[in-house]
Amino acid sequence: GAGVSQSPRYKVAKRGQDVALRCDPISGHVSLFWYQQALGQGPEFLTYFQNEAQLDKSGLPSDRFFAERPEGSVSTLKIQRTQQEDSAVYLCASSLAPDRGGGYTFGSGTRLTVV
Amino acid sequence: AQSVSQHNHHVILSEAASLELGCNYSYGGTVNLFWYVQYPGQHLQLLLKYFSGDPLVKGIKGFEAEFIKSKFSFNLRKPSVQWSDTAEYFCAVIGNTGKLIFGQGTTLQVKP
């Protein structure tokens, strides 16, 4: 497609439930990023892939968070045993190049609410 | 560590007023700078970016920003705002990590 697609748009999870959030980047974009945006805050970096390699996962808040991109295109962010503090919008972005000149294109995000 | 600070959390203006949103970053090396906008219910969109060259950058919808290296600043400006500019504005920087780091955002409300 023309843009970055994320699904689902909205997810309500009971505390303790596992969730999986999907990101379809722009075709041909080698770099893929996940961000977490809490209410009233700027997006916070979670993790970064270049093709299928996860080059940076320093922003993942705990070992309950796991991301993968096995074939270098679609990525999944998994959160195990969700907690209320996980409630946020999860943004995915893709880029031709990670820094200079590539630019990032963001998806619409998945709004996760943990009840 | 790189960080971005946006001075104003919430700005309220009347239509036709001039806008300036402050942004400072903390990184002494070469940086790429961005302003993103998020309209209500929509995804983040790029307003403008600075990589090198002319420090005065013009973006979409009449926005511009000036990179002042000595002040570590990249303030966003628009001479005359419209009601449709009501949105959240994020300043962001890429330094040597290759990661896009965002400020906390400024909510702009334009009264018709």
Side-chain angles (χ1 to χ4, degrees):
Chain A
V4 177
S5 178
Q6 292 188 246
S7 61
R9 284 295 307 274
Y10 303 93
K11 176 69 180 178
V12 178
K14 290 185 177 178
R15 193 172 52 166
Q17 186 179 350
D18 297 349
V19 298
L21 313 180
R22 178 187 168 104
C23 173
D24 274 279
I26 293 174
S27 178
H29 278 195
V30 300
S31 298
L32 185 146
F33 304 81
W34 283 99
Y35 285 81
Q36 180 192 57
Q37 186 176 15
L39 190 65
Q41 301 294 317
E44 296 278 349
F45 171 82
L46 292 177
T47 186
Y48 158 50
F49 290 85
Q50 192 161 325
N51 295 306
E52 68 278 3
Q54 190 174 20
L55 300 186
D56 187 338
K57 54 181 181 179
S58 61
L60 296 177
S62 78
D63 59 7
R64 297 186 295 103
F65 286 70
F66 172 76
E68 60 183 7
R69 194 186 185 196
E71 297 177 358
S73 55
V74 171
S75 177
T76 304
L77 176 67
K78 297 179 179 178
I79 309 173
Q80 297 176 322
R81 304 181 304 281
T82 52
Q83 303 294 316
Q84 284 192 319
E85 62 262 27
D86 300 335
S87 295
V89 175
Y90 290 85
L91 297 169
C92 177
S94 69
S95 173
L96 276 172
D99 45 16
R100 303 176 193 283
Y104 288 47
T105 301
F106 282 85
S108 298
T110 294
R111 182 178 296 278
L112 173 65
T113 303
V114 181
V115 297
Chain B
Q2 296 162 205
S3 67
V4 179
S5 177
Q6 293 183 237
H7 313 302
N8 318 97
H9 194 60
H10 197 163
V11 173
I12 302 174
L13 293 173
S14 298
E15 273 194 315
S18 64
L19 170 73
E20 181 160 2
L21 301 182
C23 172
N24 285 88
Y25 62 93
S26 65
Y27 178 64
T30 302
V31 291
N32 296 340
L33 296 157
F34 305 81
W35 275 97
Y36 280 84
V37 61
Q38 192 169 27
Y39 298 104
Q42 296 189 25
H43 59 273
L44 282 165
Q45 299 173 39
L46 182 66
L47 266 182
L48 48 79
K49 60 186 178 184
Y50 171 80
F51 286 164
S52 63
D54 189 344
L56 185 61
V57 180
K58 294 195 183 298
I60 61 171
K61 303 185 181 186
F63 286 91
E64 65 179 31
E66 185 175 12
F67 170 53
I68 303 179
K69 189 174 182 180
S70 60
K71 295 184 178 180
F72 298 88
S73 71
F74 190 57
N75 292 355
L76 181 72
R77 300 194 292 249
K78 185 170 183 178
S80 176
V81 294
Q82 301 172 317
W83 176 79
S84 58
D85 293 324
T86 294
E88 189 136 19
Y89 293 81
F90 295 95
C91 182
V93 61
I94 296 177
N96 63 340
T97 64
K99 296 186 292 194
L100 190 62
I101 306 298
F102 286 88
Q104 64 268 47
T106 297
T107 301
L108 172 64
Q109 184 181 351
V110 180
K111 295 181 176 179

